[in-house]
Structures are given as C-alpha cells and as structure tokens.
Amino acid sequence: MEGGAYLAGDRAGALGVRRRTINEWLVRYADYLEVDTRGKRKVYSAKSLRILKEISEMRNEGKSSFEIEQLLASRYGIRPEVAP
C-alpha cells in the first residue's frame, strides 16, 4: 500500500462531502482504491485519497458515475483481486 494510512471518514470534511457520500464512493469505486484492514477498521492509502479527491472534482464538474468509472479505468486500471 502506498505511503500513509488514512481513515476515509476523517477525510470527508477535507473533500467537502458527507461521510455517507464517501461510503457510497468506497463501494462504487472499490476496484480503484487501495484498502487495508487494521483490526476492525479499513484504512486507505494516500493514492486512494487522491482518487477520492478526483472523484469529488469530477462530481462537481457534473460527470455521471458511468463517466467517472470510465475515466478511473483509463487512468488506473482495475485493481486485481488477490486469491486467498
């Protein structure tokens, strides 16, 4: 996981969005985000927080979820699943 570990909820205010919105994005765009579990908490990398910021900016520009998904796929590709 790229440098740093952050709780997504702590960043909601910095992005100017509600915690519920962040939760929706974490589910919808999970294929593009680096997440790790520490105890019972999910923590996100600095890269994931940059991607959430990009998502916020795209939403503010009026892009649809479908358009955002296409842009994220072209920029980052889909994070592969690791078999247990």
Side-chain angles (χ1 to χ4, degrees):
M1 187 151 87
E2 186 179 305
Y6 306 90
L7 297 173
D10 295 340
R11 302 302 298 172
L15 295 174
V17 297
R18 298 178 309 170
R19 174 70 170 130
R20 179 179 173 163
T21 301
I22 291 287
N23 287 341
E24 290 171 3
W25 292 350
L26 294 175
V27 172
R28 181 179 302 262
Y29 305 111
D31 289 336
Y32 308 99
L33 304 172
E34 296 174 348
V35 62
D36 193 15
T37 304
R38 297 196 183 159
K40 293 184 180 182
R41 294 185 166 207
K42 290 184 178 182
V43 293
Y44 296 85
S45 68
K47 178 181 177 182
S48 293
L49 294 181
R50 284 194 305 274
I51 292 171
L52 288 171
K53 184 176 180 188
E54 287 181 45
I55 293 168
S56 177
E57 291 167 355
M58 288 187 268
R59 294 297 291 179
N60 290 337
E61 293 169 1
K63 291 189 176 18
S64 70
S65 294
F66 179 75
E67 291 170 312
I68 292 170
E69 182 97 21
Q70 287 183 315
L71 288 167
L72 292 176
S74 69
R75 291 178 187 169
Y76 302 104
I78 295 176
R79 179 182 46 82
E81 286 190 35
V82 178

